[in-house]
Amino acid sequence: MSHQADPQPTPSRNTSTPRRVLIVGGVAGGASCAARLRRLDESVEIVVFERGPYVSFANCGLPYYVGNVIVDERSLLVASPEMFRARFNVEVQIETEVTGIDRSARTVTARDVRTGVSRAERYNVLVLSPGAAPIRPPLPGVDLPGVFAVRTIPDSRRIRSWIAERRARTAVVVGGGFIGLEMVENLLHRDLAVAVLEKLPQVMPPLDPEMAAPLMQYLATKGVRLQLGDGLARIEERDGGGLVVVAESGARLPADLVILAVGVRPETTLAKDAGLQLGPRGGIVVDAQMRTSDPNIWAVGDVVEVQDVLTGQDTVLPLAGPANRQGRVAAESIAGRATHFRGVQATAVVGVLGLTVASTGASEKGLRRAGVTSFQKVYLHPGHHARYYPGARPIHLKLLFSVPDGRILGAQAVGLEGVEKRIDVIATAIQFNGTVHDLAEAELCYAPQFGAAKDPVNLAGMLAENVLKGDMPVADWLELGRTDALLLDVREPDEFAGGHVAHAINLPLSQMRSRYVELPKDRDIWIYCRVGQRAYYATRFLAQHGYRSRNLSGGYMTYEALKAGGLAP
Ligand code: FAD
């Protein structure tokens, strides 16, 4: 996103003929823009061109239609051209592809995909919301029958038919991002055996590896084969029918169908051919009002580059929430209002077979990539509601914050219950430039079945405050192989016997007050327990007795996740 200080004037209005606003793409961003613009301005003519057969459909629901969770295809249709006409006086031309833009003549070429006939359409204002296309790596076999991407209703219909007609039993999902994982869940719903081939050593690439670890373990317990750290080499036809996905390692994964979910690419062909400015991440460059380098053309949604409010860097974020909000901002701007899009913070959630994974803001690896070093992190594993009330489920939570001001930089959480609620609270705090002190102080709902008097969000803030105040000096698990600190496990002996960090000694918290003199005062002591609480008590106790104690945040539970994520010895 470029950052022009002042909004440019909206194109001059011709009072004799209505201003003509053409919108390319009639789903999340385009449909939002059209509807909002009409609510603001009854005088403009609005025409939406949509290449596909449907306008404003629920692309986020497509995996669930494949999985038969959404049974009736019509449920995916949020609106129809008739509804747009009747309710908003917006003309929607479906199965009409815009194939070119003549910026000097202010016309687009619109082609009827059924007849192939093209015509020129005049505009005063053009809005581009063509979305992003699934990446099809140029590898042998990716175009074979039985290899699918999921973007449109017809795509999901084809997958459903393929499963039914071929009596498919096995599937390989290439790519372990959120669309890939939603497909895993839904293919399991259809009783297929599913394998995931993922180039990175983890699924859900936006997460830090240790936060993806519980998800990977969970998938394994559900029978999903994970072929990680291994890219796609080719897809072959199998003798006697079916396919084989061949990985770069040579591993061969048999499949009756293959889903390609290796990411999306902004659909910038139109913009590029028209000479609009594109950014380094491959999206259209827009200002805060969603206006492109041409003052008569706006762009929104998956096709644009936006600013990450936390790192300040330009990014692409193909998510429905930003696309909808940008459509609204563009409409306001076209209507002459100086509304600004504030940028993105990458708040996202995915549910996989009952497990919820959510994140907001920066990840640790993202911060490191952006060269940010002045940050700290805490891990915690609280119950999603009071422990004493039956059914409490742990939430694995990681909070990143800047030092020394405590500004919240990001959070990631995994668990069976209450995960997205906590991330939404933290996301809102980030939006208001909140600090860990705000989280510690947040007044949140509490009754035993919903939360705790110290909600996980409060606890995260309090832990972070302890770090900032020096009450709980933390040691970084990532430094484990590079330290000569004494590793102290303060769990009970039976817990220690059940598994511990190599070279750790055991002195349970319950015996600390009588035995602490056994510990050396001339050495750093890094302390852990199961989740971090007992280690915190021990850290405080020892610090007040002159020891150089530090807490290994998140305890053995975090250590095991780090180990599973390949980050700890
Ligand atoms: P789209 O909604 O993709 O709309 C673009 C439209 O433009 C398309 O219908 C296309 O046919 C049309 N088009 C393209 N080029 C032309 C042209 N030249 N002429 C005419 N029409 C054209 N996001 C979330 O936040 N949460 C989710 O759970 C989630 N799940 C998803 C699941 C799936 C399977 C998919 C595919 C996406 C999911 N997303 C999700 C992402 C979300 O759907 C997108 O970020 C959002 O739809 C982007 O809006 P958009 O308007 O930029 O593009």
Side-chain angles (χ1 to χ4, degrees):
M1 180 182 278
S2 79
H3 309 292
Q4 300 158 14
D6 299 313
Q8 298 176 26
T10 44
S12 61
R13 290 173 188 234
N14 177 341
T15 45
S16 52
T17 51
R19 267 205 315 169
R20 198 159 196 251
V21 179
L22 302 188
I23 299 177
V24 181
V27 189
S32 300
C33 183
R36 177 68 180 160
L37 182 57
R38 174 57 75 227
R39 292 196 293 274
L40 297 178
D41 191 343
E42 275 293 328
S43 72
V44 290
E45 181 187 351
I46 305 172
V47 184
V48 176
F49 297 109
E50 170 51 54
R51 180 173 58 197
Y54 305 103
V55 64
S56 198
F57 66 92
N59 24 24
C60 307
L62 298 177
Y64 305 93
Y65 180 47
V66 172
N68 236 355
V69 177
I70 296 171
V71 181
D72 185 349
E73 188 178 294
R74 287 168 301 182
S75 316
L76 297 167
L77 303 176
V78 180
S80 64
E82 296 71 32
M83 192 269 244
F84 266 99
R85 157 74 63 202
R87 193 173 286 184
F88 299 117
N89 186 25
V90 168
E91 183 188 338
V92 177
Q93 300 192 12
I94 54 167
E95 300 192 295
T96 304
E97 181 174 20
V98 171
T99 55
I101 304 169
D102 183 337
R103 288 167 53 198
S104 52
R106 288 204 209 154
T107 57
V108 299
T109 306
R111 189 177 69 92
D112 185 322
V113 297
R114 291 156 295 196
T115 62
V117 175
S118 292
R119 61 187 187 281
E121 294 274 359
R122 173 187 71 81
Y123 68 82
N124 300 100
V125 167
L126 180 64
V127 180
L128 301 177
S129 187
I135 294 170
R136 261 185 190 264
L139 294 170
V142 294
D143 294 321
L144 283 170
V147 181
F148 301 95
V150 198
R151 185 182 183 191
T152 62
I153 291 179
D155 288 340
S156 6
R157 200 186 290 147
R158 278 191 285 272
I159 299 170
R160 283 171 65 101
S161 307
W162 186 273
I163 292 171
E165 287 160 16
R166 309 284 169 133
R167 299 184 195 287
R169 309 298 320 150
T170 55
V172 172
V173 175
V174 183
F178 81 90
I179 293 180
L181 292 181
E182 286 179 353
M183 288 306 297
V184 168
E185 165 170 290
N186 283 289
L187 292 168
L188 288 172
H189 285 325
R190 301 295 301 268
D191 293 329
L192 275 79
V194 184
V196 177
L197 177 66
E198 166 58 56
K199 177 100 179 158
L200 293 175
Q202 69 173 82
V203 295
M204 280 304 282
L207 294 185
D208 289 322
E210 75 279 18
M211 298 307 291
L215 169 61
M216 296 190 288
Q217 283 157 358
Y218 189 77
L219 286 168
T221 63
K222 298 288 176 185
V224 178
R225 172 175 173 186
L226 295 177
Q227 182 78 24
L228 302 174
D230 204 355
L232 174 67
R234 62 185 180 279
I235 302 171
E236 295 174 354
E237 280 176 303
R238 202 166 51 194
D239 292 342
L243 302 163
V244 182
V245 173
V246 184
E248 285 169 350
S249 67
R252 297 173 69 81
L253 311 175
D256 296 326
L257 81 142
V258 176
I259 304 291
L260 284 181
V262 292
V264 296
R265 185 177 290 133
E267 279 219 21
T268 49
T269 311
L270 272 180
K272 198 167 160 192
D273 292 350
L276 297 180
Q277 191 188 346
L278 302 185
R281 304 296 308 273
I284 301 175
V285 172
V286 289
D287 65 15
Q289 292 196 309
M290 308 312 299
R291 199 188 308 233
T292 68
S293 52
D294 181 324
N296 300 304
I297 305 179
W298 278 252
V300 301
D302 290 358
V303 79
V304 299
E305 288 194 4
V306 284
Q307 192 188 32
D308 182 321
V309 292
L310 287 147
T311 62
Q313 296 186 335
D314 288 343
T315 185
V316 286
L317 185 71
L319 288 176
N324 276 275
R325 296 200 305 279
Q326 290 160 11
R328 187 178 164 92
V329 169
E332 301 237 335
S333 166
I334 293 163
R337 296 185 176 187
T339 311
H340 290 90
F341 184 68
R342 60 180 285 275
V344 295
Q345 61 188 66
T347 305
V349 63
V350 63
V352 193
L353 302 161
L355 194 73
T356 307
V357 180
S359 57
T360 186
S363 61
E364 182 173 351
K365 60 187 174 189
L367 289 173
R368 291 194 193 284
R369 257 198 315 268
V372 182
T373 50
S374 54
F375 70 89
Q376 263 295 3
K377 60 188 171 186
V378 288
Y379 297 95
L380 59 162
H381 311 274
H384 86 284
H385 61 50
R387 290 271 182 206
Y388 66 81
Y389 186 83
R393 306 288 205 156
I395 296 177
H396 307 289
L397 182 56
K398 176 179 185 178
L399 179 72
L400 293 146
F401 51 97
S402 77
V403 175
D405 62 2
R407 193 165 71 94
I408 310 158
L409 298 176
Q412 301 163 44
V414 188
L416 292 166
E417 301 280 351
V419 167
E420 72 288 357
K421 163 172 150 171
R422 273 59 189 216
I423 291 298
D424 277 344
V425 171
I426 298 174
T428 309
I430 289 177
Q431 182 167 350
F432 291 102
N433 227 355
T435 65
V436 298
H437 311 296
D438 296 315
L439 299 186
E441 283 291 320
E443 188 171 316
L444 303 171
C445 294
Y446 166 55
Q449 56 188 310
F450 301 112
K454 279 184 199 157
D455 188 86
V457 169
N458 299 132
L459 285 175
M462 289 168 184
L463 286 187
E465 275 190 328
N466 286 340
V467 174
L468 288 177
K469 289 175 184 164
D471 291 342
M472 187 180 76
V474 276
D476 192 342
W477 283 106
L478 301 182
E479 299 293 320
L480 212 52
R482 296 189 282 269
T483 179
D484 58 2
L486 175 69
L487 290 180
L488 177 61
D489 185 322
V490 295
R491 297 174 300 163
E492 291 303 310
D494 58 329
E495 295 174 272
F496 185 77
H500 57 265
V501 180
H503 311 301
I505 62 159
N506 184 219
L507 173 48
L509 179 70
S510 55
Q511 300 172 25
M512 185 65 69
R513 286 179 188 274
S514 55
R515 289 182 49 197
Y516 72 93
V517 287
E518 297 169 21
L519 297 170
K521 270 201 165 158
D522 57 349
R523 214 173 146 190
D524 288 337
I525 304 177
W526 289 10
I527 308 171
Y528 71 90
C529 59
R530 195 175 78 87
V531 294
Q533 194 173 12
R534 283 173 285 176
Y536 167 52
Y537 300 153
T539 305
R540 291 294 308 144
F541 174 81
L542 289 174
Q544 292 180 69
H545 286 81
Y547 289 84
R548 289 163 24 199
S549 56
R550 288 182 175 274
N551 186 355
L552 280 158
S553 182
Y556 196 66
M557 223 179 229
T558 293
Y559 168 74
E560 286 198 305
L562 285 157
K563 209 168 148 189
L567 295 177

